[in-house]
Amino acid sequence: MATVGTTVRPVSIESVPVNRDLHAFPRVVIVEVVAGCNLACAMCPEKTMTRPRGLMPLALFQRIVDDIADTDPTIELWMPIMGEVFMHRDRVFDYIDYAKDRALTSVSLNSNLVLFRPAWIDRLAGSRLDRIVVGLDAATESTYRAIRADPNPRRTGNFARVEDNIRALLRAKAAGRLPHLEIVLQFIVQEANASEEDAFRARWAGSGATLKFRHKLGWGVAIPAPALALKRKMRTVPCPWLMRTLSVHWTGQVAQCDARWDGAEYVGDLNRQTIREVWMGDLLRRRKRHLLSDFDFDPCRDCRDWQCGRSEIVETAS
């Protein structure tokens, strides 16, 4: 998908999704239930984040979910942005429960799975979560540790524990305990792991997991992303993230996109506004500018994450 030997292949303009629809409501709402992480990964800027970390109040989350459910329960809900949900142990299931009780049809969770405990599998089953995306990014412990290298040994992860947790989830699914849960193993292709993509595919072939491969984001200009190498003059398509997604930080403040991961600017506040009010406000003006191929404003001017909108998905049979 993305490598040549040990080199990350640059994206092509043909691989960039084109979305010119002006939706009246975001198609995906990304909610940062937790800000703060137990790891310090090379492809994530959380370790340098200056805005406060914390847990979104359940009442605020419920307000957001109610807004989605009352508008269109098929809108996708993803958690989180700059955080690991299991930093607060199993409290995240209270949030998932509420979203599914309000009949949201697509609720997804990202996790590095280090802090997950197999004892929570019954709680996970009861929550009716639709998808869990596990950030794994390696086929060997040495590569896993290289990607998650940090001077603090408590933030370097535990490859064996994560793989054990994945296999516990896969066994539970095979046994019928997690019939509705899709287990996705993510491999963010980057310089440190490019040589292991084939090994990763082989390691999890036939496991019953879905494999997801994508290029590394730059999070605006926070992280070097050399594979996102298309020239500015080649850009004629609007950013797929801006056109489809709404990013809500744990405080309820709305950022334009991942490029505003550190809260440098907010475009709304769901403590006092509806999703539609924020989506159809200044964000609409920005989307219209993109449709006119006008990207000459912050943070879009120097951001290259628009190139990274499509992932390769591989279904494996158990």
Side-chain angles (χ1 to χ4, degrees):
M1 172 258 183
T3 62
V4 180
T6 60
T7 303
V8 182
R9 179 184 297 130
V11 298
S12 66
I13 192 67
E14 292 78 18
S15 69
V16 179
V18 179
N19 186 334
R20 300 186 183 277
D21 297 327
L22 283 176
H23 300 288
F25 200 86
R27 305 313 301 162
V28 183
V29 179
I30 310 174
V31 180
E32 186 182 70
V33 174
V34 176
C37 191
N38 57 308
L39 299 184
C41 302
M43 65 285 191
C44 177
E46 185 276 337
K47 53 188 172 293
T48 61
M49 191 165 71
T50 61
R51 64 181 170 92
R53 293 162 169 81
L55 173 70
M56 176 177 282
L58 181 57
L60 174 57
F61 180 81
Q62 291 170 335
R63 174 187 169 97
I64 296 168
V65 167
D66 288 344
D67 198 352
I68 298 170
D70 292 342
T71 303
D72 182 353
T74 68
I75 298 297
E76 294 183 55
L77 174 69
W78 280 82
M79 299 176 281
I81 298 173
M82 282 284 117
E84 167 52 48
V85 293
F86 295 115
M87 289 280 287
H88 292 269
R89 298 181 59 78
D90 57 349
R91 290 182 67 180
V92 68
F93 296 121
D94 296 332
Y95 294 72
I96 300 168
D97 286 343
Y98 189 80
K100 296 304 290 184
D101 286 345
R102 286 304 321 267
L104 267 60
T105 62
S106 182
V107 179
S108 301
L109 181 73
N110 284 70
S111 173
N112 58 53
L113 221 63
V114 172
L115 301 176
F116 181 80
R117 296 293 177 263
W120 298 338
I121 286 178
D122 286 340
R123 186 74 174 85
L124 173 61
S127 75
R128 296 156 291 157
L129 180 68
D130 296 290
R131 184 180 298 103
I132 185 167
V133 180
V134 182
L136 189 51
D137 309 309
T140 64
E141 182 172 4
S142 59
T143 296
Y144 178 88
R145 292 183 66 84
I147 291 173
R148 287 156 175 80
D150 189 81
N152 182 349
R154 296 174 63 86
R155 282 171 61 94
T156 57
N158 187 316
F159 184 67
R161 179 185 296 166
V162 173
E163 286 206 327
D164 286 347
N165 285 338
I166 291 169
R167 292 191 173 98
L169 290 175
L170 291 170
R171 286 194 300 270
K173 184 173 177 63
R177 296 170 63 192
L178 300 169
H180 304 296
L181 181 68
E182 181 184 16
I183 301 166
V184 182
L185 307 184
Q186 181 167 265
F187 190 97
I188 298 177
V189 182
Q190 53 200 289
E191 297 77 7
N193 67 4
S195 64
E196 289 194 359
E197 185 177 331
D198 289 343
F200 184 87
R201 294 171 187 266
R203 189 175 185 87
W204 296 103
S207 67
T210 298
L211 307 185
K212 178 180 179 181
F213 300 86
R214 71 168 177 83
H215 282 289
K216 178 175 62 174
L217 288 172
W219 294 93
V221 296
I223 300 292
L228 308 183
L230 296 177
K231 302 298 183 183
R232 188 178 302 181
K233 64 182 180 181
M234 298 177 64
R235 184 173 187 185
T236 59
V237 299
C239 177
W241 309 103
L242 180 64
M243 298 300 289
R244 289 179 50 84
T245 66
L246 189 78
S247 298
V248 187
H249 289 178
W250 72 275
T251 56
Q253 295 166 291
V254 179
Q256 173 184 302
C257 56
D258 65 270
R260 292 304 195 197
W261 57 274
D262 203 22
E265 175 199 35
Y266 288 113
V267 295
D269 188 341
L270 297 187
N271 290 283
R272 53 184 177 80
Q273 295 174 279
T274 66
I275 291 174
R276 191 183 298 275
E277 286 172 342
V278 176
W279 183 250
M280 299 300 285
D282 188 49
L283 282 176
L284 176 59
R285 289 186 286 274
R286 298 179 192 207
R287 293 196 297 278
K288 287 181 175 179
R289 289 183 68 172
H290 273 222
L291 287 174
L292 296 172
S293 295
D294 176 9
F295 316 111
D296 192 23
F297 58 96
D298 290 332
C300 306
R301 183 180 294 108
D302 298 314
C303 180
R304 296 183 296 172
D305 288 352
W306 61 274
Q307 302 175 31
C308 193
R310 182 173 293 150
S311 302
E312 178 189 356
I313 303 297
V314 179
E315 305 287 345
T316 71
S318 57

